Amino acid sequence: MDPLLAAALAALDVTDEPHPLTTHHTDAWRAGRWKIKTTTEPAAAALLLHEAEAVRLLHARGLHPADGRHGRVGDGVWTAVEFLPGVDLWRWCALGRVPDPPPDFAPRLTTIAHRAFAGLDDLHAAGWRHGDLQPWNILIDPGDQPVFVDHEYTHHQGLLPPAGPYRGGMDHATTPGVARQLLHTPPEVHIRLTPADERHALAAALRWAWTGTTPATTRDVGPGVTLDDLLEDIATGRHHVPLADARPWPAPELEALIAHATT
């Protein structure tokens, strides 16, 4: 057994057999109630430790339902985060990306949106920034409670500074203001997120998951489109599709929430 994995199991007092998280994972496992990751690569270790400590602190302060742990063996690092039941927002919204969704879908999604904004406000009031809000980093639990997960880019004064400057999360959830900063500052400059930036990113994630289309531009990085092109699209709105043209069906309350956070 990987000595880092063995050390994690011993520290966590887990006797269950560990299993890879997916068939593609060679350094991430599910064991008991924990998701365990290991690495001996310094850059990866810095991100894993940052996330595990962020989760531990959030849990200790009543802001996250899962706990986090971490440890070292020589030059290697293991981290563990408690497993949470549910599906990510993208998969949860799959039934709603059709013209005629289940009757309860719209009110449930609207409730989730209200809860997500309230949860984000609680994080901000306690001095936290998530740093990477996107449809795949919002878990919807069996009671329709949204939980923000994947805290590699989370900011808080109680955390050690990140290994490198913060330069945004997933490209398509980037806000126009952050896009402008990324375009006009060198790579070593740390981007400072405001609560308004994160509310915008959350609204973009909700729109993205509901409509199935990217929220700020129709283009993706690829042949003929650079990352700077994409950021310029976001900063200027030159390829933005109005929500009324992208939505699968009208939802006035949800649309108002999204509009309020993105304008």
Side-chain angles (χ1 to χ4, degrees), residues 54-219:
V55 170
R56 187 190 70 79
L57 285 174
L58 285 164
H59 180 73
R61 297 172 188 185
L63 293 169
H64 193 65
D67 199 0
R69 308 282 178 82
H70 54 82
R72 292 182 179 273
V73 177
D75 294 331
V77 164
W78 64 263
T79 64
V81 174
E82 284 184 298
F83 179 83
L84 294 173
V87 297
D88 62 55
L89 180 65
W90 178 264
R91 286 194 292 159
W92 192 93
C93 283
L95 288 176
R97 291 193 290 268
V98 294
D100 187 23
D104 66 342
F105 185 87
R108 288 178 67 194
L109 180 56
T110 302
T111 296
I112 285 169
H114 279 293
R115 290 173 175 175
F117 279 111
L120 188 61
D121 287 345
D122 289 342
L123 286 180
H124 292 161
W128 292 82
R129 303 286 185 271
H130 181 276
D132 193 16
L133 292 172
Q134 51 165 287
W136 297 272
N137 285 351
I138 302 169
L139 185 78
I140 310 303
D141 78 8
D144 286 354
Q145 182 65 41
V147 180
F148 304 122
V149 297
D150 287 0
H151 292 275
E152 291 180 354
Y153 299 112
T154 292
H155 311 3
H156 188 267
Q157 62 183 6
L159 289 171
L160 290 174
Y166 174 73
R167 299 291 291 176
M170 181 173 276
D171 299 333
H172 278 290
T174 302
T175 68
V178 170
R180 285 189 286 272
Q181 291 183 68
L182 291 170
L183 284 166
H184 300 297
T185 58
E188 64 271 15
V189 172
H190 177 82
I191 302 296
R192 297 194 178 277
L193 282 178
T194 67
D197 288 327
E198 291 232 288
R199 288 180 63 83
H200 187 126
L202 174 56
L206 288 162
R207 170 185 162 139
W208 193 352
W210 172 37
T211 66
T213 60
T214 48
T217 175
T218 56
R219 303 199 296 174

